[in-house]
Amino acid sequence: MQKKWKIGLSCAIVLLGAAVGCGLWTDAHAPIDAERILVNSKLNGRTFKGEVVEIFADNNLLHAYLMEEHSVPLAAISFGFDRAGAAYEPKDGVALLVENVLMDGAGRFSRKELREVMKEKGIKLAVSAENDRLTFSLSFVKKFEKEALEILKAVLYDAHFDKNDIELARRQLAMLKQQQKESPQYQLNRLIDRTFYGKHPYAKEGIPDDAVLAKVSVQDMRDYLKQFMAKDTLSVGIAGDMDGAESEAFLTQAFAGLNEKSKGRELPMLQPDWNAPKVAEVSDISAQSLIMLKSLGVPRLDDDFYPLLLADYVFGGAGLSSRLSLAVRENEGLTYGIYSFLTSDDTGDFWQIYFSTTPDNTARIFELLNQEYEKFYREGISPHELDVAKSSLLSSFNLRFSSVAVIADMLEQMQVQKLGIDFLKNRQNQVEAVTLEQVNDAIRRRLPKTLKDGDGARVFEIVGAARKNN
C-alpha cells in the first residue's frame, strides 16, 4: 500500500524558465522551441503553491519526495547515494573514472548512440562523484519517459566501461590536472588539503596521478557501483509532470535492482587544531595572494543555524553590501571581493572567510578584518541589519525555484540534510522568527573570540610571487 504524507507549501514558487534550454523535441525529428513553449504555457509568469508528498515503493525500501506540476510536460529526478563519493572509494580514482566514463555507452547504446538518442528525445542525464556522495540528475519530456527510464537503467546497471573510453578519460584528466596546476586557487586548495585535512580521505587530490588511475580496473568500477549504490543510502527528489502512481512506478523500475545495503562506511573523525599558526606557501604562478580563514561552524539542524546564517549575511555573506566588503573593498579598494560563508560536509561544519589581494595589501586587510570582527563579536548586529538580512534571505529563497530540475534537487537535499518534508513550508517562518537577541547571543557563543592567527581560526595563504623576495 502506497503511503503519502501531504504538506501544503506556504512559499510561492516561481517556475519561470522551467522549459528553457532543455533541448526538447516534439517527435523524433523536429526540435521544440523551448522558449515558445514557456511563453504559451500556464507556467509563464505565474506563481503557485505546491505540495510535497512522500512516495514509497518496493515494500517501503524506496522512497522519494514528490512535487507535482503539470503546467508543462517536463519531469526531473534528482537522486544520490550517501557515503559513496571519492572520500569513501575503496581504491583511489575509482569514483572519478566512473563519473567520466559512465555515460560512454550502456546497455544497447554505444557512446555515440546514447548521446544521439538523448539529444533527439530531449533527455538529460548527468552524474557527479563528489567527496561525500555519488549524485545523478535526470530530466525529460514526459512523452519520452519510457526512453529516459531505459537509458537510466542501462547506465546504472549495464555501463560498458570500454577500455578505449577509459583510456581517453585518463588522457583528458591528465590534461585537466596539468591545467589545474596553473591555478592559484588549486594551490590554495592543496595547501588546505595537506595542512588542515592531513591524512584524512578529504585530503586526497581531486585528480590522482595518471599512474594511480592506470591501476583502476573495469572490475573495480563495476564493484564500486554495485557496492556503493544501494537502497539504504539513496535519496530521491521528483518534480514536474508526474503524479504519485507514476512516481512510485518509476522508483520501482529504476531502483529495485539495487542492493539493499551499501558497503560505504563512516569516515574517520576530523580533529582540527584550531590554534595552529598560519600556513603560507609562495606561488610561482600568481601575482595575487589568496587567503582562506576557517573556523568552527554550526550543524545544519542546530538551533543556532538560522541566527548564525543571518549574522554571517551581515558580516560577509551579503556580497558588496556586507560589513567586510564595505570596509575592505568599498572604502579602501584593497580587493575585488571578500566573503564569509557557512559550509557543512561529512567531516564537519565550518565558517569560512575568503579573499584575494596584492601581496602588499594583505597585512592591511587582516587589520581591517580583525577590527570589523572585534566590533561584530562585541556589539553584534543592529535591528536594521537584521531586517535587511531577513528580507534578502526570504526573497532570495524563492528565486531558487527556477526549474523543475532545481526543485527536484532541493527535494533530494531536504532528505540528505534531514530537513523534513515540511521544510519548504517552515523555512521562511524559521528565518522570520529569529530575534536580534538570538543572533547576537549565537555570535558570542558559537563563533571564535577573534580571527587572529592561532586563536580559534585557521589561516591559509598562497603568497603572490611579487612578495617572494620580501
Side-chain angles (χ1 to χ4, degrees):
M1 185 74 175
Q2 177 179 300
K3 298 180 181 178
K4 292 185 180 180
W5 298 99
K6 297 188 177 182
I7 299 293
L9 303 187
S10 61
C11 56
I13 301 170
V14 182
L15 289 184
L16 181 61
V20 176
C22 292
L24 310 184
W25 296 74
T26 53
D27 52 42
H29 306 287
I32 286 178
D33 185 337
E35 293 189 12
R36 178 175 57 80
I37 284 184
L38 178 62
V39 169
N40 295 332
S41 78
K42 298 177 183 178
L43 195 57
N44 185 31
R46 69 169 272 215
T47 62
F48 69 96
K49 293 186 177 182
E51 180 182 84
V52 177
V53 298
E54 189 165 17
I55 303 298
F56 291 86
D58 192 21
N59 295 318
N60 294 341
L61 293 175
L62 299 170
H63 67 97
Y65 284 177
L66 165 68
M67 182 188 289
E68 297 183 41
E69 171 50 46
H70 302 287
S71 297
V72 289
L74 300 172
I77 292 90
S78 179
F79 65 96
F81 301 89
D82 295 340
R83 303 193 305 275
Y88 294 86
E89 62 189 359
K91 191 174 185 179
D92 287 355
V94 174
L96 180 63
L97 278 178
V98 165
E99 174 190 301
N100 281 270
V101 186
L102 193 60
M103 301 294 296
D104 290 342
R108 65 181 178 90
F109 304 104
S110 67
R111 177 181 179 176
K112 181 180 179 181
E113 290 168 340
L114 186 61
R115 281 159 172 71
E116 286 179 346
V117 72
M118 290 175 66
K119 180 178 179 181
E120 181 180 314
K121 305 296 185 183
I123 299 167
K124 290 188 175 182
L125 177 61
V127 57
S128 176
E130 303 161 0
N131 263 340
D132 298 331
R133 311 180 70 239
L134 182 66
T135 63
F136 295 80
S137 61
L138 172 68
S139 61
F140 51 87
V141 185
K142 184 61 183 294
K143 68 180 292 185
F144 296 123
E145 178 181 346
K146 179 180 178 181
E147 291 84 351
L149 181 60
E150 180 187 9
I151 288 172
L152 177 60
K153 291 174 66 176
V155 168
L156 292 180
Y157 303 112
D158 193 19
H160 290 173
F161 291 140
D162 182 84
K163 290 186 178 180
N164 290 330
D165 292 332
I166 295 173
E167 179 59 32
L168 175 61
R170 285 176 50 202
R171 292 199 299 270
Q172 291 172 335
L173 289 168
M175 292 176 60
L176 179 58
K177 182 181 177 70
Q178 187 59 41
Q179 293 172 1
Q180 283 184 337
K181 290 180 178 180
E182 302 303 313
S183 164
Q185 185 63 58
Y186 169 83
Q187 292 183 328
L188 178 61
N189 291 338
R190 290 303 296 153
L191 178 64
I192 294 172
D193 288 342
R194 293 193 303 271
T195 59
F196 184 74
Y197 291 104
K199 296 181 179 180
H200 192 276
Y202 256 60
K204 292 194 300 184
E205 193 163 8
I207 302 178
D209 292 335
D210 189 58
V212 174
L213 293 177
K215 296 178 182 179
V216 177
S217 69
V218 171
Q219 192 59 49
D220 290 331
M221 299 164 73
R222 296 195 188 284
D223 289 345
Y224 164 75
L225 289 177
K226 186 175 182 179
Q227 295 172 4
F228 287 79
M229 293 195 310
K231 298 174 186 177
D232 67 327
T233 57
L234 173 66
S235 300
V236 185
I238 303 174
D241 194 13
M242 294 181 71
D243 61 26
E246 292 170 325
S247 298
E248 181 180 349
F250 191 96
L251 282 179
T252 300
Q253 294 178 69
F255 304 121
L258 298 174
N259 287 336
E260 290 189 12
K261 299 292 184 181
S262 169
K263 296 292 185 181
R265 299 291 181 262
E266 298 292 339
L267 292 176
M269 291 293 294
L270 181 67
Q271 298 178 325
D273 179 2
W274 292 112
N275 296 314
K278 180 175 80 172
V279 180
E281 183 177 274
V282 174
S283 171
D284 57 355
I285 61 173
S286 175
Q288 290 274 308
S289 291
L290 284 70
I291 294 91
M292 175 75 81
L293 286 79
K294 295 176 74 76
S295 64
L296 193 61
V298 60
R300 180 61 183 81
L301 299 180
D302 194 284
D303 289 342
D304 286 323
F305 176 80
Y306 284 111
L308 286 181
L309 182 66
L310 289 159
D312 170 75
Y313 182 89
V314 171
F315 186 68
L320 299 182
S321 62
S322 73
R323 287 191 184 183
L324 278 182
S325 185
L326 291 174
V328 176
R329 184 183 190 275
E330 299 301 314
N331 294 345
E332 299 205 18
L334 300 177
T335 180
Y336 285 115
I338 181 168
Y339 314 96
S340 68
F341 47 96
L342 293 163
T343 64
S344 293
D345 55 41
D346 284 1
T347 65
D349 309 286
F350 306 109
W351 186 50
Q352 303 180 97
I353 298 171
Y354 170 82
F355 64 91
S356 61
T357 188
T358 60
D360 291 342
N361 288 330
T362 302
R364 176 57 179 161
I365 291 182
F366 271 113
E367 181 181 356
L368 293 171
L369 171 62
N370 286 313
Q371 288 176 3
E372 286 298 318
Y373 186 76
E374 181 182 355
K375 179 180 178 182
F376 174 71
Y377 186 86
R378 182 180 68 251
E379 301 177 5
I381 68 174
S382 71
H384 175 69
E385 287 175 321
L386 178 62
D387 289 342
V388 171
K390 282 186 179 182
S391 178
S392 179
L393 291 178
L394 290 171
S395 59
S396 64
F397 182 73
N398 286 335
L399 297 178
R400 299 182 185 182
F401 296 85
S402 58
S403 71
V404 291
V406 172
I407 293 172
D409 183 63
M410 182 171 290
L411 295 174
E412 192 241 353
Q413 282 298 308
M414 285 161 54
Q415 299 164 68
V416 174
Q417 299 181 38
K418 297 179 173 57
L419 301 177
I421 197 171
D422 58 351
F423 168 71
L424 298 180
K425 177 182 178 180
N426 295 333
R427 188 269 186 184
Q428 303 293 65
N429 292 334
Q430 289 178 301
V431 172
E432 189 64 62
V434 175
T435 67
L436 185 67
E437 291 73 21
Q438 288 174 324
V439 172
N440 292 335
D441 178 60
I443 291 172
R444 287 184 285 269
R445 286 189 296 102
R446 304 301 293 269
L447 296 183
K449 291 183 179 180
T450 77
L451 294 181
K452 294 179 180 179
D453 179 30
D455 192 20
R458 294 291 306 274
V459 181
F460 307 89
E461 179 181 1
I462 291 296
V463 183
R467 194 171 150 190
K468 186 172 184 178
N469 297 321
N470 291 354

PDB file of all heavy atoms in Angstrom, residues 63 114 127 162 177-178 217-218 301 317 332 346 384 415 447 461:
ATOM      1  N   HIS A  63      11.944   5.345  -1.318  1.00  0.00           N
ATOM      2  CA  HIS A  63      11.029   6.456  -1.090  1.00  0.00           C
ATOM      3  C   HIS A  63      11.574   7.702  -1.756  1.00  0.00           C
ATOM      4  O   HIS A  63      12.772   7.807  -2.071  1.00  0.00           O
ATOM      5  CB  HIS A  63      10.805   6.696   0.406  1.00  0.00           C
ATOM      6  CG  HIS A  63      12.019   7.179   1.135  1.00  0.00           C
ATOM      7  ND1 HIS A  63      12.247   8.499   1.403  1.00  0.00           N
ATOM      8  CD2 HIS A  63      13.086   6.501   1.627  1.00  0.00           C
ATOM      9  CE1 HIS A  63      13.394   8.622   2.053  1.00  0.00           C
ATOM     10  NE2 HIS A  63      13.932   7.437   2.200  1.00  0.00           N
ATOM     11  N   LEU A 114      24.033   6.674 -27.533  1.00  0.00           N
ATOM     12  CA  LEU A 114      23.482   7.201 -26.283  1.00  0.00           C
ATOM     13  C   LEU A 114      23.341   8.713 -26.364  1.00  0.00           C
ATOM     14  O   LEU A 114      22.301   9.278 -25.981  1.00  0.00           O
ATOM     15  CB  LEU A 114      24.378   6.807 -25.108  1.00  0.00           C
ATOM     16  CG  LEU A 114      23.869   7.162 -23.717  1.00  0.00           C
ATOM     17  CD1 LEU A 114      22.560   6.464 -23.425  1.00  0.00           C
ATOM     18  CD2 LEU A 114      24.898   6.810 -22.652  1.00  0.00           C
ATOM     19  N   VAL A 127      26.023  12.740 -14.076  1.00  0.00           N
ATOM     20  CA  VAL A 127      26.497  12.072 -12.865  1.00  0.00           C
ATOM     21  C   VAL A 127      27.673  12.850 -12.305  1.00  0.00           C
ATOM     22  O   VAL A 127      28.463  13.442 -13.049  1.00  0.00           O
ATOM     23  CB  VAL A 127      26.915  10.610 -13.171  1.00  0.00           C
ATOM     24  CG1 VAL A 127      27.984  10.567 -14.255  1.00  0.00           C
ATOM     25  CG2 VAL A 127      27.409   9.907 -11.909  1.00  0.00           C
ATOM     26  N   ASP A 162      34.112   0.677 -21.643  1.00  0.00           N
ATOM     27  CA  ASP A 162      35.022   0.257 -22.710  1.00  0.00           C
ATOM     28  C   ASP A 162      36.436   0.752 -22.415  1.00  0.00           C
ATOM     29  O   ASP A 162      36.642   1.893 -21.981  1.00  0.00           O
ATOM     30  CB  ASP A 162      34.531   0.828 -24.047  1.00  0.00           C
ATOM     31  CG  ASP A 162      35.402   0.406 -25.204  1.00  0.00           C
ATOM     32  OD1 ASP A 162      35.193  -0.696 -25.732  1.00  0.00           O
ATOM     33  OD2 ASP A 162      36.318   1.184 -25.576  1.00  0.00           O
ATOM     34  N   LYS A 177      44.404  17.980 -15.079  1.00  0.00           N
ATOM     35  CA  LYS A 177      45.255  18.068 -13.887  1.00  0.00           C
ATOM     36  C   LYS A 177      46.407  19.052 -14.122  1.00  0.00           C
ATOM     37  O   LYS A 177      46.733  19.859 -13.245  1.00  0.00           O
ATOM     38  CB  LYS A 177      45.804  16.685 -13.536  1.00  0.00           C
ATOM     39  CG  LYS A 177      46.669  16.650 -12.282  1.00  0.00           C
ATOM     40  CD  LYS A 177      47.190  15.234 -12.044  1.00  0.00           C
ATOM     41  CE  LYS A 177      48.112  15.186 -10.847  1.00  0.00           C
ATOM     42  NZ  LYS A 177      47.381  15.398  -9.579  1.00  0.00           N
ATOM     43  N   GLN A 178      46.986  19.006 -15.312  1.00  0.00           N
ATOM     44  CA  GLN A 178      48.074  19.918 -15.624  1.00  0.00           C
ATOM     45  C   GLN A 178      47.579  21.360 -15.674  1.00  0.00           C
ATOM     46  O   GLN A 178      48.254  22.283 -15.198  1.00  0.00           O
ATOM     47  CB  GLN A 178      48.699  19.535 -16.971  1.00  0.00           C
ATOM     48  CG  GLN A 178      49.944  20.323 -17.309  1.00  0.00           C
ATOM     49  CD  GLN A 178      51.047  20.165 -16.266  1.00  0.00           C
ATOM     50  OE1 GLN A 178      51.276  19.066 -15.759  1.00  0.00           O
ATOM     51  NE2 GLN A 178      51.720  21.260 -15.934  1.00  0.00           N
ATOM     52  N   SER A 217      40.791  -0.850 -12.473  1.00  0.00           N
ATOM     53  CA  SER A 217      40.323  -1.799 -13.480  1.00  0.00           C
ATOM     54  C   SER A 217      38.826  -1.634 -13.732  1.00  0.00           C
ATOM     55  O   SER A 217      38.110  -1.010 -12.949  1.00  0.00           O
ATOM     56  CB  SER A 217      40.605  -3.232 -13.028  1.00  0.00           C
ATOM     57  OG  SER A 217      39.784  -3.575 -11.908  1.00  0.00           O
ATOM     58  N   VAL A 218      38.368  -2.222 -14.811  1.00  0.00           N
ATOM     59  CA  VAL A 218      36.930  -2.225 -15.109  1.00  0.00           C
ATOM     60  C   VAL A 218      36.172  -2.908 -13.979  1.00  0.00           C
ATOM     61  O   VAL A 218      35.089  -2.464 -13.581  1.00  0.00           O
ATOM     62  CB  VAL A 218      36.665  -2.929 -16.457  1.00  0.00           C
ATOM     63  CG1 VAL A 218      35.171  -3.134 -16.665  1.00  0.00           C
ATOM     64  CG2 VAL A 218      37.258  -2.116 -17.606  1.00  0.00           C
ATOM     65  N   LEU A 301      21.093  21.395  11.501  1.00  0.00           N
ATOM     66  CA  LEU A 301      19.870  21.252  12.293  1.00  0.00           C
ATOM     67  C   LEU A 301      19.985  21.862  13.681  1.00  0.00           C
ATOM     68  O   LEU A 301      19.078  21.727  14.499  1.00  0.00           O
ATOM     69  CB  LEU A 301      19.492  19.772  12.404  1.00  0.00           C
ATOM     70  CG  LEU A 301      19.199  19.055  11.081  1.00  0.00           C
ATOM     71  CD1 LEU A 301      18.830  17.598  11.331  1.00  0.00           C
ATOM     72  CD2 LEU A 301      18.109  19.761  10.297  1.00  0.00           C
ATOM     73  N   GLY A 317      28.467  37.712   4.171  1.00  0.00           N
ATOM     74  CA  GLY A 317      27.749  36.901   3.199  1.00  0.00           C
ATOM     75  C   GLY A 317      26.873  37.673   2.245  1.00  0.00           C
ATOM     76  O   GLY A 317      26.316  37.095   1.304  1.00  0.00           O
ATOM     77  N   GLU A 332      38.350  51.138   0.912  1.00  0.00           N
ATOM     78  CA  GLU A 332      39.796  51.225   0.675  1.00  0.00           C
ATOM     79  C   GLU A 332      40.248  50.570  -0.627  1.00  0.00           C
ATOM     80  O   GLU A 332      41.419  50.673  -0.986  1.00  0.00           O
ATOM     81  CB  GLU A 332      40.562  50.631   1.861  1.00  0.00           C
ATOM     82  CG  GLU A 332      40.286  51.361   3.177  1.00  0.00           C
ATOM     83  CD  GLU A 332      41.422  51.216   4.172  1.00  0.00           C
ATOM     84  OE1 GLU A 332      42.540  50.858   3.762  1.00  0.00           O
ATOM     85  OE2 GLU A 332      41.181  51.480   5.368  1.00  0.00           O
ATOM     86  N   ASP A 346      30.606  15.904   5.327  1.00  0.00           N
ATOM     87  CA  ASP A 346      30.706  14.734   6.196  1.00  0.00           C
ATOM     88  C   ASP A 346      31.837  14.841   7.213  1.00  0.00           C
ATOM     89  O   ASP A 346      31.915  14.036   8.144  1.00  0.00           O
ATOM     90  CB  ASP A 346      30.890  13.466   5.362  1.00  0.00           C
ATOM     91  CG  ASP A 346      29.590  13.025   4.705  1.00  0.00           C
ATOM     92  OD1 ASP A 346      28.565  13.719   4.885  1.00  0.00           O
ATOM     93  OD2 ASP A 346      29.591  11.996   3.994  1.00  0.00           O
ATOM     94  N   HIS A 384      18.337  47.173  12.253  1.00  0.00           N
ATOM     95  CA  HIS A 384      18.194  47.445  10.828  1.00  0.00           C
ATOM     96  C   HIS A 384      18.908  46.381   9.999  1.00  0.00           C
ATOM     97  O   HIS A 384      18.370  45.901   8.982  1.00  0.00           O
ATOM     98  CB  HIS A 384      18.755  48.824  10.489  1.00  0.00           C
ATOM     99  CG  HIS A 384      18.762  49.124   9.016  1.00  0.00           C
ATOM    100  ND1 HIS A 384      17.609  49.315   8.294  1.00  0.00           N
ATOM    101  CD2 HIS A 384      19.809  49.241   8.133  1.00  0.00           C
ATOM    102  CE1 HIS A 384      17.916  49.557   7.027  1.00  0.00           C
ATOM    103  NE2 HIS A 384      19.239  49.512   6.907  1.00  0.00           N
ATOM    104  N   GLN A 415      16.100  15.587   2.049  1.00  0.00           N
ATOM    105  CA  GLN A 415      16.283  14.277   2.679  1.00  0.00           C
ATOM    106  C   GLN A 415      17.721  14.097   3.148  1.00  0.00           C
ATOM    107  O   GLN A 415      17.964  13.617   4.263  1.00  0.00           O
ATOM    108  CB  GLN A 415      15.913  13.178   1.687  1.00  0.00           C
ATOM    109  CG  GLN A 415      14.466  13.234   1.228  1.00  0.00           C
ATOM    110  CD  GLN A 415      14.236  12.413  -0.016  1.00  0.00           C
ATOM    111  OE1 GLN A 415      14.320  11.194   0.013  1.00  0.00           O
ATOM    112  NE2 GLN A 415      13.953  13.081  -1.128  1.00  0.00           N
ATOM    113  N   LEU A 447      30.872  31.495  17.703  1.00  0.00           N
ATOM    114  CA  LEU A 447      31.969  31.915  16.833  1.00  0.00           C
ATOM    115  C   LEU A 447      33.223  32.183  17.659  1.00  0.00           C
ATOM    116  O   LEU A 447      33.138  32.428  18.866  1.00  0.00           O
ATOM    117  CB  LEU A 447      31.567  33.171  16.042  1.00  0.00           C
ATOM    118  CG  LEU A 447      30.402  32.996  15.059  1.00  0.00           C
ATOM    119  CD1 LEU A 447      30.143  34.288  14.293  1.00  0.00           C
ATOM    120  CD2 LEU A 447      30.635  31.832  14.096  1.00  0.00           C
ATOM    121  N   GLU A 461      47.311  30.757   3.373  1.00  0.00           N
ATOM    122  CA  GLU A 461      47.618  31.799   2.402  1.00  0.00           C
ATOM    123  C   GLU A 461      48.528  31.281   1.300  1.00  0.00           C
ATOM    124  O   GLU A 461      49.537  30.630   1.550  1.00  0.00           O
ATOM    125  CB  GLU A 461      48.288  32.998   3.080  1.00  0.00           C
ATOM    126  CG  GLU A 461      48.654  34.116   2.106  1.00  0.00           C
ATOM    127  CD  GLU A 461      49.337  35.284   2.784  1.00  0.00           C
ATOM    128  OE1 GLU A 461      49.552  35.233   4.015  1.00  0.00           O
ATOM    129  OE2 GLU A 461      49.673  36.255   2.073  1.00  0.00           O
TER     130      GLU A 461
END
